[in-house]
Amino acid sequence: MRTYLVNALWKRSWLTFFLMGVSFLLFGVMTVNIFVLLKANLDLYVTYGRMVIADGALLQLAELIGYGFLSMLFYVLFKACEHVLVRHLTCEPRGTRADLRDITESSQRSL
C-alpha cells in the first residue's frame, strides 16, 4: 500500500499538490479548536470528578484524542506530499539520495 501511494504521488504532481492542499485544510480544520475543547474537557473532570462520565464526557475525551491522531495523520500526509513536490521541483531523482553518514565520513577524511 505504501509503495503504491508513493509511486502514485511521484508520477502525478497535480495529484500530489491536490492531496497536499486537502490534507493541509483537513489538518487545519481538525486542530483549530481541539486544544480548547481538550482543556475544557479535562477541567470538567477536575471540577466534577467521575460524575461527568455519565454525562458523556468520557466519550467526548475519546473523540478528542481520536481527532488528535487523525489530525496527526493529515499532517504526515501533508509532509509526505511536500517532500515529493520539493524533490520534483529541485529535480532530484527519486532513488539517488546520498546517505548523510557517507557524506560526513567523506568530509572527515578530507580534513
Side-chain angles (χ1 to χ4, degrees), residues 31-48:
T31 58
V32 164
N33 233 358
I34 196 166
F35 294 111
V36 174
L37 290 174
L38 191 60
K39 183 184 178 316
N41 189 280
L42 292 176
D43 287 343
L44 189 67
Y45 276 105
V46 169
T47 305
Y48 295 104

Side-chain angles (χ1 to χ4, degrees), residues 27 30-31 34 62-73:
F27 171 72
M30 297 296 289
T31 58
I34 196 166
E63 288 174 354
L64 289 172
I65 292 170
Y67 287 148
F69 281 109
L70 189 61
S71 176
M72 185 173 54
L73 175 74

Side-chain angles (χ1 to χ4, degrees), residues 50-111:
R50 290 184 291 171
M51 184 174 61
V52 297
I53 292 175
D55 295 332
L58 186 62
L59 178 63
Q60 184 184 27
L61 180 63
E63 288 174 354
L64 289 172
I65 292 170
Y67 287 148
F69 281 109
L70 189 61
S71 176
M72 185 173 54
L73 175 74
F74 289 134
Y75 179 74
V76 168
L77 185 60
F78 170 78
K79 292 301 283 184
C81 291
E82 178 192 29
H83 180 73
V84 169
L85 285 176
V86 166
R87 289 180 77 175
H88 267 293
L89 291 173
T90 58
C91 298
E92 182 181 334
R94 183 172 171 197
T96 61
R97 185 174 174 202
D99 189 24
L100 181 61
R101 186 174 52 185
D102 294 338
I103 294 171
T104 55
E105 286 177 0
S106 65
S107 65
Q108 288 176 354
R109 288 184 206 143
S110 63
L111 293 176

